[in-house]
Amino acid sequence: MRVYLPATIGILRQLVEDGEFRPLSGTGFALTPALRESYVSGSTEELEYAALLDAARASLRLIAAAQEDAHDAKEPPRRVVVSADVEDVTLRPDLDHAVVRLSGPVRLSDVAAVHVDAAEAEPAVLAAAAVIDAADLGDPDAEFTLGDVEDHELAWYAPQELPFLLELM
């Protein structure tokens, strides 16, 4: 199953250095039966994109937490989503339509692609990371701020491009 895993630049570095990473709480997003049922229509590609956007939003939470860590705060604040093909997932519709749990780490060899914000998105990413919880609680100003960051498209990178991408950061 193709899963979309929220990450940060620091997590990408770990993936390249260690050859694997363990998503926080094993949480990922995917085109699940519950996600498909929650939409009136949409192609497989459109619904997978919805799952990717859920992972990008979850990446904001990781960035917000990283800003509190002195080491991680030095990394560029960019949303990161790792797309990987994994076999052992558990559907978690009790958490949300697209949520899945992975039983173990994701190996670099399982990664199909990585999606990362461009540098010009950094101010919007920082602003959105600061208000992600308020947006979830229905704050309209916070939702507007999230809309600003979601206007930035994530760039696509092949797994073999990751060392070069990280070198440029």
Side-chain angles (χ1 to χ4, degrees):
M1 170 181 273
R2 174 69 49 93
V3 295
Y4 303 94
L5 307 166
T8 63
I9 296 298
I11 291 171
L12 276 187
R13 288 191 197 286
Q14 176 190 355
L15 174 61
V16 170
E17 290 172 12
D18 300 344
E20 67 180 25
F21 83 103
R22 186 174 298 273
L24 185 64
S25 300
T27 301
F29 300 84
L31 173 50
T32 64
L35 180 63
R36 188 175 296 282
E37 290 174 13
S38 71
Y39 281 84
V40 174
S41 66
S43 68
T44 297
E45 185 176 283
E46 291 169 326
L47 297 175
E48 285 180 337
Y49 186 67
L52 183 143
L53 291 179
D54 284 347
R57 189 172 271 214
S59 176
L60 291 170
R61 294 182 190 297
L62 297 176
I63 291 166
Q67 292 302 306
E68 296 173 11
D69 182 301
H71 178 264
D72 287 339
K74 295 176 185 173
E75 294 287 1
R78 299 189 194 179
R79 294 174 299 162
V80 175
V81 176
V82 176
S83 300
D85 295 315
V86 297
E87 297 300 321
D88 193 16
V89 299
T90 303
L91 303 178
R92 291 300 309 266
D94 56 312
L95 297 175
D96 203 349
H97 297 301
V99 175
V100 296
R101 287 284 164 85
L102 283 67
S103 62
V106 174
R107 295 182 314 271
L108 186 55
S109 61
D110 296 329
V111 174
V114 176
H115 311 271
V116 182
D117 273 314
E120 58 266 9
E122 289 181 13
V125 169
L126 283 173
V131 299
I132 185 74
D133 290 334
D136 284 346
L137 295 173
D139 182 313
D141 292 332
E143 273 295 329
F144 184 79
T145 301
L146 279 182
D148 284 346
V149 78
E150 290 171 350
D151 286 342
H152 293 272
E153 290 291 325
L154 297 170
W156 181 94
Y157 296 92
Q160 59 269 28
E161 295 176 298
L162 292 180
F164 306 107
L165 171 67
L166 294 171
E167 187 176 309
L168 294 173
M169 300 262 170

